[in-house]
Amino acid sequence: MKCDWFEKWSTYSPTKLAVKNIGTGQGYDYKSLNHGANAVATILEKDFNLTKGDRLLILGDFDAEYVALLGVAQKMGIILVPLNYRLSANEIAFLVQNSDPSLIIVAEEYRSLLKEVPQLVADKVISFTQYSDWLLSAAKAQKAQYNSKPLEENHPAFILYTSGTTGQPKGAIYTHGMMLWNSINTSIRLKITSDDIYLNVMPPFHTGGWNVLTAPILHFGGTLIMMPKFDSEHVLKALEREKVSISMLVPTMVRMLSECDDFRKIDFSQLRYMIVGGEALPIQLIEQWNEQGVPIRQGYGLTECGPNITSLEAEDAIRKRGSIGFPNFYVDTKLVNEEGVKAGQQEKGELWIKGPIVTTGYWKNAKETEKAIVDGWFKTGDILIEDEDGYLYVVDRIKNMYISGGENVYPAEVEKCILKHPEIKEVCVVGVAHDKWGEVGKAFLVFKNGQREVSDLTAYCIKNLAKYKVPKYFEVMKELPKNDTGKIDRKMLR
């Protein structure tokens, strides 16, 4: 089946704005975007001999031209490998070797990241500027044609590398079928239409950048506003100026926006809701945005499935605080306890996922694929509970759990308690070695009003937590380290 979304929308809505760069104002309607993608596909096929299944690796900022590569992948069947430009040259070298690309597109500011890849030859690398020139020239001429290839649902669209706490990154295979069904699930739950305008500030090397809303918006013929670098003041102004109807942020970004001087001056009347993912959003922030007329939608997802797996309605944000809601439409889920059977209500269990939104596996890594997928069920590694109304709650990652005196401790439970203390702004708890108890908790803290004493915090924890869950150590920091999506970098702290 052909799945050329750009071709379809160039017929249905040729002059509709498809994607625009926030900085330069350069934009493409669906007709020009389709012609540009046609021209690039022709060049890659004829001049560089790329064929279906070949990998195209990209190192660059997420802009309108980068988005056009999705259309190229749908037309040709090549596999996009977006890499994290914040990695070291040594880390990039491993990912290049693992993905074995036929061609690399690199922005000049990131070219030095390829210095540790000795097997590269000059004709295997082209500049992002050269690629952009092809696209823009064809978009203006609007004459390029291309006969799109039929693609199977399980044919890869992306290889998305995920970092683990140990070992090398794993390349999750993200298929065209996953993208299609995730888009359908997302549009049903979030009521996406071709009238929606989405501001994207997420990076291209995470599934959130492509598949939380970018791909669904393109599937339904909406408009993308691309902001490659997050800047809180610029985001606030863009939400108002571009009449954005949907945006997606992680909690750290939401907090930064609410702390801007102009936060209460911005007209959010076009913004139907803000989608927040990555971790639970504190109630205080939900209430702040509600006061500005912006409902908060929360949910749960992961690179290997969906990524949009569950959704919590905005009206449930306070009543079911901390919940990730219900599974989306075409998703099967179950919680499996330590005995390997289905967990009961209020009983902790690992979330397993099944459906057309589950990855086919990890690239060149049969061992990890076999560990993760059992009879079609993907084992997420996340511990959840289900309440009496069927709402799901994330307890923690299995890999974050530590054992203290024979008792399982989930850091997220401890963190939620500490965050209720009025003086705490941020917290992250990790397990550290201990001679007597095997492991104990260490809490990294950021106070709202500068450094304070932690003695009263210990007493607060003892009052609200089981003794074995109370952190043994506390360390006050000015700021907690963040990863590329703005989430607290637990791996670094550990």
Side-chain angles (χ1 to χ4, degrees), residues 259-297:
E259 292 174 349
C260 290
D261 292 338
D262 290 338
F263 175 63
R264 300 193 182 280
K265 302 176 184 177
I266 297 296
D267 178 7
F268 294 116
S269 59
Q270 299 292 325
L271 191 58
R272 293 199 285 122
Y273 43 75
M274 183 78 74
I275 300 164
V276 181
E279 55 193 274
L281 190 66
I283 296 299
Q284 179 187 6
L285 282 175
I286 295 174
E287 292 173 339
Q288 283 183 349
W289 282 86
N290 281 341
E291 289 171 3
Q292 296 303 107
V294 181
I296 298 293
R297 290 288 299 260

mmCIF file of all heavy atoms in Angstrom, residues 259-297:
data_model
loop_
_atom_site.group_PDB
_atom_site.id
_atom_site.type_symbol
_atom_site.label_atom_id
_atom_site.label_comp_id
_atom_site.label_asym_id
_atom_site.label_seq_id
_atom_site.Cartn_x
_atom_site.Cartn_y
_atom_site.Cartn_z
ATOM 1 N N GLU A 259 6.947 30.602 34.691
ATOM 2 C CA GLU A 259 7.801 31.517 35.448
ATOM 3 C C GLU A 259 8.189 32.758 34.654
ATOM 4 O O GLU A 259 8.840 33.664 35.191
ATOM 5 C CB GLU A 259 9.066 30.781 35.910
ATOM 6 C CG GLU A 259 8.787 29.697 36.957
ATOM 7 C CD GLU A 259 10.020 28.871 37.296
ATOM 8 O OE1 GLU A 259 11.033 29.010 36.574
ATOM 9 O OE2 GLU A 259 9.957 28.085 38.251
ATOM 10 N N CYS A 260 7.816 32.824 33.367
ATOM 11 C CA CYS A 260 8.127 33.988 32.541
ATOM 12 C C CYS A 260 7.309 35.200 32.994
ATOM 13 O O CYS A 260 6.161 35.065 33.426
ATOM 14 C CB CYS A 260 7.825 33.703 31.069
ATOM 15 S SG CYS A 260 8.948 32.535 30.296
ATOM 16 N N ASP A 261 7.892 36.357 32.860
ATOM 17 C CA ASP A 261 7.222 37.589 33.278
ATOM 18 C C ASP A 261 5.916 37.821 32.521
ATOM 19 O O ASP A 261 4.964 38.391 33.063
ATOM 20 C CB ASP A 261 8.153 38.783 33.060
ATOM 21 C CG ASP A 261 9.355 38.755 34.005
ATOM 22 O OD1 ASP A 261 9.263 38.088 35.054
ATOM 23 O OD2 ASP A 261 10.379 39.382 33.683
ATOM 24 N N ASP A 262 5.878 37.398 31.246
ATOM 25 C CA ASP A 262 4.703 37.662 30.411
ATOM 26 C C ASP A 262 3.661 36.551 30.459
ATOM 27 O O ASP A 262 2.679 36.603 29.708
ATOM 28 C CB ASP A 262 5.137 37.865 28.952
ATOM 29 C CG ASP A 262 5.899 39.164 28.752
ATOM 30 O OD1 ASP A 262 5.733 40.080 29.586
ATOM 31 O OD2 ASP A 262 6.662 39.259 27.774
ATOM 32 N N PHE A 263 3.848 35.578 31.321
ATOM 33 C CA PHE A 263 2.964 34.412 31.312
ATOM 34 C C PHE A 263 1.491 34.810 31.418
ATOM 35 O O PHE A 263 0.639 34.297 30.688
ATOM 36 C CB PHE A 263 3.335 33.457 32.446
ATOM 37 C CG PHE A 263 2.409 32.287 32.607
ATOM 38 C CD1 PHE A 263 2.262 31.342 31.599
ATOM 39 C CD2 PHE A 263 1.665 32.126 33.777
ATOM 40 C CE1 PHE A 263 1.393 30.266 31.749
ATOM 41 C CE2 PHE A 263 0.803 31.048 33.931
ATOM 42 C CZ PHE A 263 0.671 30.116 32.915
ATOM 43 N N ARG A 264 1.159 35.736 32.323
ATOM 44 C CA ARG A 264 -0.240 36.103 32.550
ATOM 45 C C ARG A 264 -0.732 37.184 31.579
ATOM 46 O O ARG A 264 -1.882 37.608 31.659
ATOM 47 C CB ARG A 264 -0.446 36.537 33.996
ATOM 48 C CG ARG A 264 -0.096 35.424 34.987
ATOM 49 C CD ARG A 264 -0.565 35.698 36.387
ATOM 50 N NE ARG A 264 -0.176 34.626 37.298
ATOM 51 C CZ ARG A 264 -0.817 33.459 37.424
ATOM 52 N NH1 ARG A 264 -1.894 33.233 36.698
ATOM 53 N NH2 ARG A 264 -0.389 32.540 38.261
ATOM 54 N N LYS A 265 0.147 37.597 30.663
ATOM 55 C CA LYS A 265 -0.259 38.603 29.679
ATOM 56 C C LYS A 265 -0.586 37.985 28.316
ATOM 57 O O LYS A 265 -1.157 38.653 27.451
ATOM 58 C CB LYS A 265 0.861 39.633 29.491
ATOM 59 C CG LYS A 265 1.262 40.350 30.768
ATOM 60 C CD LYS A 265 2.439 41.268 30.508
ATOM 61 C CE LYS A 265 2.933 41.922 31.796
ATOM 62 N NZ LYS A 265 4.132 42.771 31.538
ATOM 63 N N ILE A 266 -0.225 36.720 28.129
ATOM 64 C CA ILE A 266 -0.375 36.083 26.823
ATOM 65 C C ILE A 266 -1.829 35.680 26.584
ATOM 66 O O ILE A 266 -2.520 35.190 27.475
ATOM 67 C CB ILE A 266 0.540 34.839 26.722
ATOM 68 C CG1 ILE A 266 2.010 35.253 26.831
ATOM 69 C CG2 ILE A 266 0.303 34.083 25.425
ATOM 70 C CD1 ILE A 266 2.504 36.144 25.719
ATOM 71 N N ASP A 267 -2.281 35.869 25.349
ATOM 72 C CA ASP A 267 -3.618 35.447 24.948
ATOM 73 C C ASP A 267 -3.540 33.989 24.472
ATOM 74 O O ASP A 267 -3.017 33.698 23.394
ATOM 75 C CB ASP A 267 -4.123 36.346 23.819
ATOM 76 C CG ASP A 267 -5.504 35.934 23.308
ATOM 77 O OD1 ASP A 267 -6.124 35.032 23.921
ATOM 78 O OD2 ASP A 267 -5.951 36.503 22.294
ATOM 79 N N PHE A 268 -4.062 33.086 25.289
ATOM 80 C CA PHE A 268 -4.049 31.657 24.973
ATOM 81 C C PHE A 268 -5.393 31.183 24.414
ATOM 82 O O PHE A 268 -5.677 29.988 24.404
ATOM 83 C CB PHE A 268 -3.746 30.836 26.240
ATOM 84 C CG PHE A 268 -2.373 31.024 26.797
ATOM 85 C CD1 PHE A 268 -2.201 31.594 28.062
ATOM 86 C CD2 PHE A 268 -1.248 30.619 26.100
ATOM 87 C CE1 PHE A 268 -0.939 31.753 28.608
ATOM 88 C CE2 PHE A 268 0.016 30.771 26.633
ATOM 89 C CZ PHE A 268 0.174 31.342 27.884
ATOM 90 N N SER A 269 -6.212 32.078 23.941
ATOM 91 C CA SER A 269 -7.587 31.718 23.584
ATOM 92 C C SER A 269 -7.671 30.683 22.465
ATOM 93 O O SER A 269 -8.668 29.950 22.368
ATOM 94 C CB SER A 269 -8.377 32.974 23.190
ATOM 95 O OG SER A 269 -7.755 33.637 22.096
ATOM 96 N N GLN A 270 -6.648 30.604 21.599
ATOM 97 C CA GLN A 270 -6.663 29.624 20.512
ATOM 98 C C GLN A 270 -6.150 28.256 20.956
ATOM 99 O O GLN A 270 -6.359 27.262 20.247
ATOM 100 C CB GLN A 270 -5.800 30.129 19.342
ATOM 101 C CG GLN A 270 -6.270 31.427 18.727
ATOM 102 C CD GLN A 270 -7.580 31.270 18.008
ATOM 103 O OE1 GLN A 270 -7.860 30.249 17.400
ATOM 104 N NE2 GLN A 270 -8.430 32.294 18.080
ATOM 105 N N LEU A 271 -5.490 28.206 22.108
ATOM 106 C CA LEU A 271 -4.852 26.972 22.558
ATOM 107 C C LEU A 271 -5.886 26.063 23.214
ATOM 108 O O LEU A 271 -6.348 26.323 24.319
ATOM 109 C CB LEU A 271 -3.724 27.307 23.548
ATOM 110 C CG LEU A 271 -2.773 26.177 23.948
ATOM 111 C CD1 LEU A 271 -2.068 25.577 22.741
ATOM 112 C CD2 LEU A 271 -1.744 26.689 24.960
ATOM 113 N N ARG A 272 -6.255 25.000 22.515
ATOM 114 C CA ARG A 272 -7.298 24.095 23.026
ATOM 115 C C ARG A 272 -6.828 23.371 24.283
ATOM 116 O O ARG A 272 -7.589 23.157 25.206
ATOM 117 C CB ARG A 272 -7.695 23.079 21.954
ATOM 118 C CG ARG A 272 -8.395 23.698 20.766
ATOM 119 C CD ARG A 272 -9.162 22.662 19.972
ATOM 120 N NE ARG A 272 -8.285 21.813 19.166
ATOM 121 C CZ ARG A 272 -8.231 20.488 19.258
ATOM 122 N NH1 ARG A 272 -8.986 19.859 20.141
ATOM 123 N NH2 ARG A 272 -7.428 19.791 18.474
ATOM 124 N N TYR A 273 -5.583 22.949 24.292
ATOM 125 C CA TYR A 273 -4.990 22.339 25.486
ATOM 126 C C TYR A 273 -3.499 22.157 25.277
ATOM 127 O O TYR A 273 -2.978 22.207 24.158
ATOM 128 C CB TYR A 273 -5.629 20.989 25.833
ATOM 129 C CG TYR A 273 -5.867 20.075 24.660
ATOM 130 C CD1 TYR A 273 -4.827 19.387 24.055
ATOM 131 C CD2 TYR A 273 -7.155 19.906 24.165
ATOM 132 C CE1 TYR A 273 -5.055 18.565 22.978
ATOM 133 C CE2 TYR A 273 -7.387 19.078 23.081
ATOM 134 C CZ TYR A 273 -6.331 18.409 22.489
ATOM 135 O OH TYR A 273 -6.555 17.604 21.410
ATOM 136 N N MET A 274 -2.810 21.975 26.387
ATOM 137 C CA MET A 274 -1.385 21.660 26.378
ATOM 138 C C MET A 274 -1.233 20.191 26.740
ATOM 139 O O MET A 274 -1.819 19.710 27.708
ATOM 140 C CB MET A 274 -0.641 22.517 27.406
ATOM 141 C CG MET A 274 0.867 22.312 27.416
ATOM 142 S SD MET A 274 1.661 23.187 26.061
ATOM 143 C CE MET A 274 1.538 24.877 26.670
ATOM 144 N N ILE A 275 -0.469 19.473 25.940
ATOM 145 C CA ILE A 275 -0.195 18.070 26.224
ATOM 146 C C ILE A 275 1.139 17.983 26.951
ATOM 147 O O ILE A 275 2.142 18.544 26.500
ATOM 148 C CB ILE A 275 -0.148 17.246 24.927
ATOM 149 C CG1 ILE A 275 -1.490 17.340 24.208
ATOM 150 C CG2 ILE A 275 0.203 15.795 25.216
ATOM 151 C CD1 ILE A 275 -1.437 16.898 22.789
ATOM 152 N N VAL A 276 1.127 17.300 28.088
ATOM 153 C CA VAL A 276 2.338 17.185 28.907
ATOM 154 C C VAL A 276 2.679 15.709 29.053
ATOM 155 O O VAL A 276 1.831 14.896 29.420
ATOM 156 C CB VAL A 276 2.147 17.834 30.293
ATOM 157 C CG1 VAL A 276 3.425 17.715 31.106
ATOM 158 C CG2 VAL A 276 1.750 19.296 30.132
ATOM 159 N N GLY A 277 3.913 15.367 28.760
ATOM 160 C CA GLY A 277 4.351 13.981 28.854
ATOM 161 C C GLY A 277 5.722 13.878 29.481
ATOM 162 O O GLY A 277 6.378 14.879 29.763
ATOM 163 N N GLY A 278 6.161 12.652 29.682
ATOM 164 C CA GLY A 278 7.484 12.408 30.247
ATOM 165 C C GLY A 278 7.425 12.042 31.710
ATOM 166 O O GLY A 278 8.090 11.122 32.161
ATOM 167 N N GLU A 279 6.624 12.780 32.478
ATOM 168 C CA GLU A 279 6.431 12.514 33.902
ATOM 169 C C GLU A 279 5.217 13.312 34.366
ATOM 170 O O GLU A 279 4.722 14.187 33.644
ATOM 171 C CB GLU A 279 7.679 12.886 34.705
ATOM 172 C CG GLU A 279 8.133 14.315 34.502
ATOM 173 C CD GLU A 279 9.528 14.567 35.062
ATOM 174 O OE1 GLU A 279 9.610 14.858 36.267
ATOM 175 O OE2 GLU A 279 10.494 14.493 34.306
ATOM 176 N N ALA A 280 4.728 13.002 35.548
ATOM 177 C CA ALA A 280 3.533 13.668 36.060
ATOM 178 C C ALA A 280 3.799 15.149 36.311
ATOM 179 O O ALA A 280 4.877 15.533 36.766
ATOM 180 C CB ALA A 280 3.065 12.989 37.339
ATOM 181 N N LEU A 281 2.797 15.971 36.016
ATOM 182 C CA LEU A 281 2.901 17.412 36.227
ATOM 183 C C LEU A 281 2.334 17.762 37.596
ATOM 184 O O LEU A 281 1.226 17.335 37.943
ATOM 185 C CB LEU A 281 2.130 18.156 35.143
ATOM 186 C CG LEU A 281 2.327 19.667 35.071
ATOM 187 C CD1 LEU A 281 3.752 20.001 34.661
ATOM 188 C CD2 LEU A 281 1.342 20.278 34.065
ATOM 189 N N PRO A 282 3.069 18.540 38.410
ATOM 190 C CA PRO A 282 2.555 18.937 39.720
ATOM 191 C C PRO A 282 1.215 19.662 39.607
ATOM 192 O O PRO A 282 0.984 20.429 38.668
ATOM 193 C CB PRO A 282 3.639 19.879 40.259
ATOM 194 C CG PRO A 282 4.898 19.436 39.574
ATOM 195 C CD PRO A 282 4.455 19.006 38.192
ATOM 196 N N ILE A 283 0.331 19.420 40.566
ATOM 197 C CA ILE A 283 -1.014 20.006 40.556
ATOM 198 C C ILE A 283 -0.952 21.527 40.499
ATOM 199 O O ILE A 283 -1.772 22.174 39.842
ATOM 200 C CB ILE A 283 -1.797 19.551 41.804
ATOM 201 C CG1 ILE A 283 -2.003 18.031 41.771
ATOM 202 C CG2 ILE A 283 -3.145 20.256 41.880
ATOM 203 C CD1 ILE A 283 -2.785 17.532 40.583
ATOM 204 N N GLN A 284 0.010 22.107 41.184
ATOM 205 C CA GLN A 284 0.142 23.568 41.202
ATOM 206 C C GLN A 284 0.267 24.128 39.784
ATOM 207 O O GLN A 284 -0.346 25.145 39.440
ATOM 208 C CB GLN A 284 1.356 23.982 42.033
ATOM 209 C CG GLN A 284 1.579 25.490 42.071
ATOM 210 C CD GLN A 284 2.882 25.867 42.758
ATOM 211 O OE1 GLN A 284 3.671 25.001 43.119
ATOM 212 N NE2 GLN A 284 3.110 27.153 42.928
ATOM 213 N N LEU A 285 1.051 23.457 38.941
ATOM 214 C CA LEU A 285 1.226 23.918 37.565
ATOM 215 C C LEU A 285 -0.050 23.712 36.751
ATOM 216 O O LEU A 285 -0.410 24.549 35.917
ATOM 217 C CB LEU A 285 2.398 23.188 36.906
ATOM 218 C CG LEU A 285 3.795 23.684 37.281
ATOM 219 C CD1 LEU A 285 4.872 22.806 36.656
ATOM 220 C CD2 LEU A 285 3.978 25.134 36.847
ATOM 221 N N ILE A 286 -0.727 22.602 36.961
ATOM 222 C CA ILE A 286 -2.002 22.368 36.270
ATOM 223 C C ILE A 286 -2.980 23.495 36.582
ATOM 224 O O ILE A 286 -3.654 24.027 35.692
ATOM 225 C CB ILE A 286 -2.595 21.005 36.677
ATOM 226 C CG1 ILE A 286 -1.689 19.861 36.203
ATOM 227 C CG2 ILE A 286 -4.003 20.833 36.098
ATOM 228 C CD1 ILE A 286 -2.121 18.491 36.680
ATOM 229 N N GLU A 287 -3.048 23.875 37.863
ATOM 230 C CA GLU A 287 -3.963 24.937 38.277
ATOM 231 C C GLU A 287 -3.561 26.287 37.697
ATOM 232 O O GLU A 287 -4.418 27.092 37.299
ATOM 233 C CB GLU A 287 -4.020 24.989 39.802
ATOM 234 C CG GLU A 287 -4.697 23.757 40.422
ATOM 235 C CD GLU A 287 -4.596 23.722 41.930
ATOM 236 O OE1 GLU A 287 -3.690 24.396 42.478
ATOM 237 O OE2 GLU A 287 -5.418 23.019 42.570
ATOM 238 N N GLN A 288 -2.243 26.560 37.629
ATOM 239 C CA GLN A 288 -1.770 27.823 37.061
ATOM 240 C C GLN A 288 -2.200 27.961 35.601
ATOM 241 O O GLN A 288 -2.656 29.028 35.170
ATOM 242 C CB GLN A 288 -0.252 27.925 37.169
ATOM 243 C CG GLN A 288 0.251 28.277 38.556
ATOM 244 C CD GLN A 288 1.767 28.427 38.581
ATOM 245 O OE1 GLN A 288 2.452 28.080 37.625
ATOM 246 N NE2 GLN A 288 2.290 28.946 39.675
ATOM 247 N N TRP A 289 -2.062 26.893 34.831
ATOM 248 C CA TRP A 289 -2.440 26.938 33.423
ATOM 249 C C TRP A 289 -3.959 26.987 33.262
ATOM 250 O O TRP A 289 -4.467 27.663 32.360
ATOM 251 C CB TRP A 289 -1.836 25.753 32.668
ATOM 252 C CG TRP A 289 -0.385 25.967 32.361
ATOM 253 C CD1 TRP A 289 0.679 25.687 33.166
ATOM 254 C CD2 TRP A 289 0.145 26.562 31.179
ATOM 255 N NE1 TRP A 289 1.849 26.071 32.549
ATOM 256 C CE2 TRP A 289 1.558 26.602 31.334
ATOM 257 C CE3 TRP A 289 -0.409 27.051 30.004
ATOM 258 C CZ2 TRP A 289 2.399 27.115 30.346
ATOM 259 C CZ3 TRP A 289 0.428 27.566 29.014
ATOM 260 C CH2 TRP A 289 1.807 27.592 29.192
ATOM 261 N N ASN A 290 -4.667 26.294 34.136
ATOM 262 C CA ASN A 290 -6.131 26.362 34.081
ATOM 263 C C ASN A 290 -6.625 27.781 34.317
ATOM 264 O O ASN A 290 -7.609 28.228 33.708
ATOM 265 C CB ASN A 290 -6.746 25.413 35.111
ATOM 266 C CG ASN A 290 -6.743 23.964 34.647
ATOM 267 O OD1 ASN A 290 -6.620 23.695 33.455
ATOM 268 N ND2 ASN A 290 -6.866 23.033 35.569
ATOM 269 N N GLU A 291 -5.956 28.489 35.224
ATOM 270 C CA GLU A 291 -6.326 29.881 35.500
ATOM 271 C C GLU A 291 -6.155 30.763 34.267
ATOM 272 O O GLU A 291 -6.822 31.793 34.129
ATOM 273 C CB GLU A 291 -5.480 30.420 36.653
ATOM 274 C CG GLU A 291 -5.842 29.819 38.012
ATOM 275 C CD GLU A 291 -4.850 30.220 39.090
ATOM 276 O OE1 GLU A 291 -3.921 31.013 38.791
ATOM 277 O OE2 GLU A 291 -4.994 29.745 40.235
ATOM 278 N N GLN A 292 -5.255 30.349 33.369
ATOM 279 C CA GLN A 292 -5.029 31.095 32.123
ATOM 280 C C GLN A 292 -5.901 30.568 30.986
ATOM 281 O O GLN A 292 -5.738 30.971 29.828
ATOM 282 C CB GLN A 292 -3.551 31.016 31.720
ATOM 283 C CG GLN A 292 -2.602 31.672 32.714
ATOM 284 C CD GLN A 292 -2.950 33.130 32.939
ATOM 285 O OE1 GLN A 292 -3.471 33.508 33.987
ATOM 286 N NE2 GLN A 292 -2.717 33.963 31.934
ATOM 287 N N GLY A 293 -6.802 29.638 31.328
ATOM 288 C CA GLY A 293 -7.729 29.111 30.329
ATOM 289 C C GLY A 293 -7.179 27.987 29.480
ATOM 290 O O GLY A 293 -7.739 27.674 28.415
ATOM 291 N N VAL A 294 -6.066 27.368 29.928
ATOM 292 C CA VAL A 294 -5.437 26.298 29.148
ATOM 293 C C VAL A 294 -5.567 24.961 29.888
ATOM 294 O O VAL A 294 -4.900 24.749 30.907
ATOM 295 C CB VAL A 294 -3.948 26.596 28.885
ATOM 296 C CG1 VAL A 294 -3.335 25.466 28.035
ATOM 297 C CG2 VAL A 294 -3.776 27.941 28.203
ATOM 298 N N PRO A 295 -6.407 24.051 29.394
ATOM 299 C CA PRO A 295 -6.502 22.725 30.005
ATOM 300 C C PRO A 295 -5.212 21.934 29.762
ATOM 301 O O PRO A 295 -4.554 22.113 28.732
ATOM 302 C CB PRO A 295 -7.684 22.070 29.278
ATOM 303 C CG PRO A 295 -8.400 23.185 28.589
ATOM 304 C CD PRO A 295 -7.368 24.222 28.296
ATOM 305 N N ILE A 296 -4.884 21.082 30.696
ATOM 306 C CA ILE A 296 -3.689 20.237 30.587
ATOM 307 C C ILE A 296 -4.118 18.798 30.318
ATOM 308 O O ILE A 296 -4.906 18.219 31.066
ATOM 309 C CB ILE A 296 -2.837 20.290 31.860
ATOM 310 C CG1 ILE A 296 -2.318 21.713 32.105
ATOM 311 C CG2 ILE A 296 -1.685 19.295 31.785
ATOM 312 C CD1 ILE A 296 -1.330 22.217 31.090
ATOM 313 N N ARG A 297 -3.609 18.228 29.230
ATOM 314 C CA ARG A 297 -3.816 16.812 28.930
ATOM 315 C C ARG A 297 -2.534 16.064 29.237
ATOM 316 O O ARG A 297 -1.451 16.469 28.817
ATOM 317 C CB ARG A 297 -4.172 16.613 27.454
ATOM 318 C CG ARG A 297 -5.546 17.109 27.049
ATOM 319 C CD ARG A 297 -6.650 16.228 27.588
ATOM 320 N NE ARG A 297 -6.605 14.862 27.115
ATOM 321 C CZ ARG A 297 -7.364 14.383 26.125
ATOM 322 N NH1 ARG A 297 -8.213 15.172 25.503
ATOM 323 N NH2 ARG A 297 -7.290 13.110 25.782
#
